[in-house]
Amino acid sequence: DVKVTQSSRYLVKRTGEKVFLECVQDMDHENMFWYRQDPGLGLRLIYFSYDVKMKEKGDIPEGYSVSREKKERFSLILESASTNQTSMYLCASSPGGQGEKLFFGSGTQLSVL
Amino acid sequence: GDSVTQMEGPVTLSEEAFLTINCTYTATGYPSLFWYVQYPGEGLQLLLKATKADDKGSNKGFEATYRKETTSFHLEKGSVQVSDSAVYFCALSERGYNKLIFGAGTRLAVHP
């Protein structure tokens, strides 16, 4: 079974801190994604990557950056955390090609105080 | 841009009732369509999908048909169980990198 592992289940940070969210997949997938999930808004795409060192902005990239130095690992970085970034963050991976399903991690609930 | 609209929840049903969750989409071209389910405390997992018009996706008693003429992909199940209680997300896949656009999600609560 494909496994997508997110490093933390719950995280509490202070405003202005630099925050790293880590995601690792074990199936050699080309594509990796970071979404945030908020009640009533569903999932919104922050960034995605289709290859090592490649990244594309999603619908809400402001305040975030990403890093993909190895194929299996995709990191989301909050350069200076703010309270409006309190959310559930979901990482996903998939093989290349349209129509392929995404495999999701269990999520990281981030609270910024 | 492309978008997905699904019915607001929560939907509350008794066990063995019939379920419909409506989903409509706006897209240029011919997207693939998906239903994902999120059980409490877990990430999302694929429930079913359809990749072209008139395709029917099915899994675990759930079904959805890709209707191009009405741009819809409604989720149905003939007899729900308490274990079906979860949040259901409709999504479409844009061409290219398999990026998914999700609806807002519909929470389903099934009571014995």
Side-chain angles (χ1 to χ4, degrees):
Chain A
D1 259 2
V2 174
K3 198 163 172 112
V4 179
T5 304
Q6 295 185 229
S7 54
S8 304
R9 186 73 179 94
Y10 299 95
L11 211 52
V12 180
K13 296 291 181 181
R14 298 241 177 246
T15 303
E17 278 193 78
K18 190 169 186 175
V19 181
F20 293 86
L21 302 183
E22 306 288 346
C23 176
V24 177
Q25 52 97 358
D26 66 357
M27 278 301 290
D28 204 37
H29 285 166
E30 285 82 8
N31 301 327
M32 296 189 75
F33 307 83
W34 275 107
Y35 287 88
R36 63 176 282 176
Q37 181 180 6
D38 300 288
L41 297 177
L43 276 72
R44 292 178 293 166
L45 183 64
I46 305 171
Y47 267 96
F48 66 103
S49 168
Y50 52 91
D51 201 351
V52 175
K53 296 191 187 294
M54 305 303 286
K55 60 186 179 185
E56 293 280 343
K57 292 180 180 179
D59 299 316
I60 50 164
E62 296 78 20
Y64 303 94
S65 62
V66 290
S67 172
R68 194 167 180 200
E69 296 296 319
K70 294 186 177 181
K71 193 173 186 180
E72 67 270 19
R73 186 179 297 270
F74 192 36
S75 303
L76 179 69
I77 303 154
L78 286 66
E79 297 290 342
S80 177
S82 63
T83 54
N84 63 12
Q85 293 179 309
T86 291
S87 185
M88 171 68 80
Y89 290 88
L90 292 170
C91 175
S93 73
S94 80
Q98 185 186 7
E100 295 290 338
K101 76 176 189 181
L102 268 61
F103 296 83
F104 281 86
S106 299
T108 296
Q109 178 62 53
L110 173 67
S111 297
V112 182
L113 306 178
Chain B
D2 295 359
S3 65
V4 174
T5 303
Q6 58 183 106
M7 63 187 287
E8 286 187 33
V11 174
T12 303
L13 295 173
S14 297
E15 207 164 23
E16 300 183 2
F18 184 85
L19 168 71
T20 299
I21 301 177
N22 291 337
C23 172
T24 57
Y25 67 90
T26 302
T28 53
Y30 304 96
S32 296
L33 301 174
F34 304 81
W35 278 100
Y36 279 80
V37 59
Q38 184 179 34
Y39 298 103
E42 298 182 13
L44 278 71
Q45 55 186 277
L46 179 67
L47 181 59
L48 53 85
K49 73 174 189 181
T51 56
K52 61 183 189 296
D54 299 324
D55 267 3
K56 177 186 281 189
S58 61
N59 187 26
K60 300 181 181 179
F62 291 89
E63 292 182 341
T65 301
Y66 189 145
R67 302 283 188 203
K68 187 168 178 294
E69 64 276 12
T70 54
T71 62
S72 65
F73 193 55
H74 305 320
L75 183 67
E76 297 182 335
K77 187 175 185 183
S79 176
V80 293
Q81 306 300 312
V82 171
S83 57
D84 293 327
S85 299
V87 182
Y88 292 82
F89 292 92
C90 185
L92 67 81
S93 169
E94 291 182 335
R95 288 200 173 277
Y97 302 118
N98 206 35
K99 190 173 67 167
L100 289 190
I101 294 172
F102 286 86
T106 302
R107 183 174 298 278
L108 170 66
V110 181
H111 297 291

